[in-house]
Amino acid sequence: MVVISEIQKCVLVEEACIQATLALAAFRKFQHIVNDYETRQDRAAWMYLTSFLSHTAMVSKLLKPGVSTSISTCRAQQLNEVLKVPDNALLLDRSIRNNVEHFDERIDRWIDAGSDKILEAVFEQRTCLDFLNRHSDEQRHSWFIRRVYL
Protein backbone atom coordinates (compact mmCIF):
# COMPACT_ATOMS: atom_id res chain seq x y z
CA MET A 1 0.00 0.00 0.00
CA VAL A 2 1.16 3.52 -0.81
CA VAL A 3 1.84 5.74 2.20
CA ILE A 4 1.53 9.49 1.82
CA SER A 5 3.43 11.44 4.45
CA GLU A 6 1.98 14.39 6.34
CA ILE A 7 4.30 16.76 4.44
CA GLN A 8 3.15 15.32 1.12
CA LYS A 9 -0.48 15.63 2.23
CA CYS A 10 0.13 19.27 3.18
CA VAL A 11 1.63 19.98 -0.24
CA LEU A 12 -1.40 18.37 -1.93
CA VAL A 13 -3.84 20.43 0.13
CA GLU A 14 -1.81 23.59 -0.49
CA GLU A 15 -1.76 22.94 -4.25
CA ALA A 16 -5.52 22.40 -4.29
CA CYS A 17 -5.96 25.69 -2.39
CA ILE A 18 -3.63 27.58 -4.75
CA GLN A 19 -5.46 26.26 -7.83
CA ALA A 20 -8.85 27.03 -6.25
CA THR A 21 -7.73 30.58 -5.42
CA LEU A 22 -6.52 31.13 -8.99
CA ALA A 23 -9.79 29.68 -10.33
CA LEU A 24 -11.88 32.02 -8.19
CA ALA A 25 -9.81 35.05 -9.24
CA ALA A 26 -10.27 34.16 -12.92
CA PHE A 27 -13.99 33.56 -12.41
CA ARG A 28 -14.47 36.94 -10.71
CA LYS A 29 -12.80 38.68 -13.67
CA PHE A 30 -14.93 36.62 -16.05
CA GLN A 31 -18.13 37.61 -14.21
CA HIS A 32 -17.12 41.27 -14.25
CA ILE A 33 -16.75 41.17 -18.03
CA VAL A 34 -19.94 39.24 -18.86
CA ASN A 35 -22.07 41.20 -16.39
CA ASP A 36 -21.26 44.42 -18.22
CA TYR A 37 -23.30 44.77 -21.42
CA GLU A 38 -20.50 46.79 -23.05
CA THR A 39 -17.83 44.11 -22.54
CA ARG A 40 -19.98 40.96 -22.57
CA GLN A 41 -18.84 39.84 -26.03
CA ASP A 42 -15.18 40.71 -25.42
CA ARG A 43 -12.81 37.81 -26.01
CA ALA A 44 -11.19 38.51 -22.65
CA ALA A 45 -14.23 36.74 -21.20
CA TRP A 46 -13.06 33.52 -22.84
CA MET A 47 -9.52 34.03 -21.59
CA TYR A 48 -10.74 34.21 -17.99
CA LEU A 49 -13.23 31.38 -18.44
CA THR A 50 -10.54 29.13 -19.91
CA SER A 51 -8.24 30.04 -17.03
CA PHE A 52 -11.01 29.21 -14.55
CA LEU A 53 -11.63 25.84 -16.21
CA SER A 54 -7.91 24.99 -16.25
CA HIS A 55 -7.45 25.74 -12.57
CA THR A 56 -10.58 23.87 -11.53
CA ALA A 57 -9.47 20.92 -13.68
CA MET A 58 -6.19 20.85 -11.77
CA VAL A 59 -8.10 20.51 -8.50
CA SER A 60 -10.42 17.95 -10.08
CA LYS A 61 -7.51 15.84 -11.31
CA LEU A 62 -5.96 15.86 -7.84
CA LEU A 63 -9.26 14.64 -6.37
CA LYS A 64 -10.29 12.27 -9.16
CA PRO A 65 -7.41 11.08 -11.33
CA GLY A 66 -8.04 10.43 -15.00
CA VAL A 67 -5.70 7.45 -14.93
CA SER A 68 -5.78 5.26 -11.84
CA THR A 69 -2.52 4.03 -10.43
CA SER A 70 -1.90 2.93 -6.87
CA ILE A 71 -0.33 6.30 -6.08
CA SER A 72 -3.01 8.43 -7.78
CA THR A 73 -5.80 6.44 -6.14
CA CYS A 74 -4.22 6.79 -2.70
CA ARG A 75 -3.50 10.47 -3.27
CA ALA A 76 -7.07 11.18 -4.33
CA GLN A 77 -8.51 9.22 -1.42
CA GLN A 78 -6.36 11.01 1.15
CA LEU A 79 -6.99 14.45 -0.34
CA ASN A 80 -10.73 13.79 -0.51
CA GLU A 81 -10.69 12.78 3.15
CA VAL A 82 -8.95 16.01 4.15
CA LEU A 83 -11.06 18.31 1.95
CA LYS A 84 -14.32 16.36 2.40
CA VAL A 85 -15.35 16.68 -1.24
CA PRO A 86 -18.62 14.83 -1.95
CA ASP A 87 -18.63 12.25 -4.74
CA ASN A 88 -21.25 14.26 -6.66
CA ALA A 89 -19.39 17.60 -6.49
CA LEU A 90 -19.59 19.58 -9.75
CA LEU A 91 -15.85 20.13 -9.44
CA LEU A 92 -15.32 16.47 -10.34
CA ASP A 93 -17.24 16.78 -13.62
CA ARG A 94 -14.69 17.74 -16.26
CA SER A 95 -17.02 17.69 -19.30
CA ILE A 96 -16.90 21.46 -19.85
CA ARG A 97 -13.14 21.56 -19.42
CA ASN A 98 -12.82 18.58 -21.78
CA ASN A 99 -14.74 20.49 -24.43
CA VAL A 100 -12.15 23.27 -24.22
CA GLU A 101 -9.25 20.83 -23.88
CA HIS A 102 -10.28 18.91 -27.01
CA PHE A 103 -10.89 22.04 -29.07
CA ASP A 104 -8.60 20.66 -31.78
CA GLU A 105 -10.85 17.63 -32.28
CA ARG A 106 -13.97 19.80 -32.53
CA ILE A 107 -12.36 22.06 -35.12
CA ASP A 108 -11.26 19.02 -37.13
CA ARG A 109 -14.87 17.77 -37.24
CA TRP A 110 -15.99 21.22 -38.38
CA ILE A 111 -13.37 21.29 -41.15
CA ASP A 112 -14.35 17.77 -42.19
CA ALA A 113 -18.01 18.88 -42.44
CA GLY A 114 -16.93 21.57 -44.93
CA SER A 115 -18.76 24.27 -43.02
CA ASP A 116 -18.06 27.95 -42.53
CA LYS A 117 -20.67 28.59 -39.82
CA ILE A 118 -19.08 29.72 -36.56
CA LEU A 119 -20.78 30.55 -33.29
CA GLU A 120 -18.96 32.54 -30.60
CA ALA A 121 -21.09 34.56 -28.22
CA VAL A 122 -22.46 35.13 -24.75
CA PHE A 123 -26.22 34.56 -24.58
CA GLU A 124 -28.66 35.69 -21.91
CA GLN A 125 -30.53 32.40 -21.95
CA ARG A 126 -30.68 29.04 -23.71
CA THR A 127 -33.68 30.08 -25.86
CA CYS A 128 -31.31 32.38 -27.74
CA LEU A 129 -29.79 29.21 -29.21
CA ASP A 130 -33.11 27.95 -30.63
CA PHE A 131 -32.02 28.90 -34.14
CA LEU A 132 -29.66 25.91 -34.06
CA ASN A 133 -32.61 23.57 -33.49
CA ARG A 134 -34.70 24.97 -36.35
CA HIS A 135 -32.48 23.31 -38.94
CA SER A 136 -32.08 19.68 -39.83
CA ASP A 137 -29.55 17.72 -37.78
CA GLU A 138 -27.08 17.92 -40.65
CA GLN A 139 -27.28 21.72 -40.77
CA ARG A 140 -27.19 22.06 -36.98
CA HIS A 141 -24.05 19.94 -36.73
CA SER A 142 -22.34 21.99 -39.42
CA TRP A 143 -22.04 24.88 -36.95
CA PHE A 144 -18.70 25.15 -35.24
CA ILE A 145 -19.57 26.22 -31.72
CA ARG A 146 -16.31 27.92 -30.97
CA ARG A 147 -17.29 29.45 -27.65
CA VAL A 148 -20.74 29.84 -26.13
CA TYR A 149 -21.61 30.92 -22.63
CA LEU A 150 -25.16 31.03 -21.29
Side-chain angles (χ1 to χ4, degrees):
M1 180 177 158
V2 176
V3 177
I4 295 179
S5 73
E6 289 303 310
I7 291 172
Q8 292 168 332
K9 208 181 298 186
C10 286
V11 169
L12 288 170
V13 170
E14 180 185 43
E15 187 58 31
C17 288
I18 289 169
Q19 293 297 329
T21 300
L22 292 169
L24 290 172
F27 192 72
R28 279 191 293 274
K29 288 184 179 266
F30 169 75
Q31 282 183 312
H32 177 73
I33 289 172
V34 297
N35 287 336
D36 182 337
Y37 185 78
E38 296 298 317
T39 60
R40 178 170 294 155
Q41 301 300 337
D42 193 299
R43 284 198 172 154
W46 303 109
M47 177 182 69
Y48 291 118
L49 183 58
T50 301
S51 179
F52 166 75
L53 292 171
S54 294
H55 292 299
T56 56
M58 292 303 294
V59 177
S60 180
K61 289 188 281 187
L62 288 171
L63 295 166
K64 182 181 173 186
V67 177
S68 291
T69 65
S70 57
I71 292 173
S72 67
T73 301
C74 184
R75 177 235 316 140
Q77 179 186 6
Q78 300 240 346
L79 190 56
N80 275 295
E81 286 173 11
V82 171
L83 298 178
K84 298 181 181 8
V85 176
D87 291 339
N88 63 347
L90 287 176
L91 177 65
L92 302 177
D93 180 357
R94 294 194 286 264
S95 58
I96 295 172
R97 192 273 324 190
N98 288 345
N99 203 4
V100 173
E101 179 74 18
H102 300 290
F103 179 82
D104 59 322
E105 296 167 16
R106 291 190 305 113
I107 203 164
D108 286 349
R109 286 191 299 272
W110 175 68
I111 291 169
D112 189 46
S115 179
D116 58 358
K117 299 174 186 172
I118 300 171
L119 184 58
E120 179 176 11
V122 173
F123 294 101
E124 293 286 329
Q125 53 195 351
R126 187 168 294 279
T127 56
C128 296
L129 291 171
D130 280 347
F131 71 94
L132 286 175
N133 295 322
R134 290 191 186 122
H135 303 290
S136 70
D137 274 348
E138 183 178 310
Q139 288 175 320
R140 182 166 44 105
H141 293 295
S142 67
W143 280 89
F144 175 52
I145 300 178
R146 190 175 190 176
R147 294 174 186 92
V148 170
Y149 178 75
L150 300 173

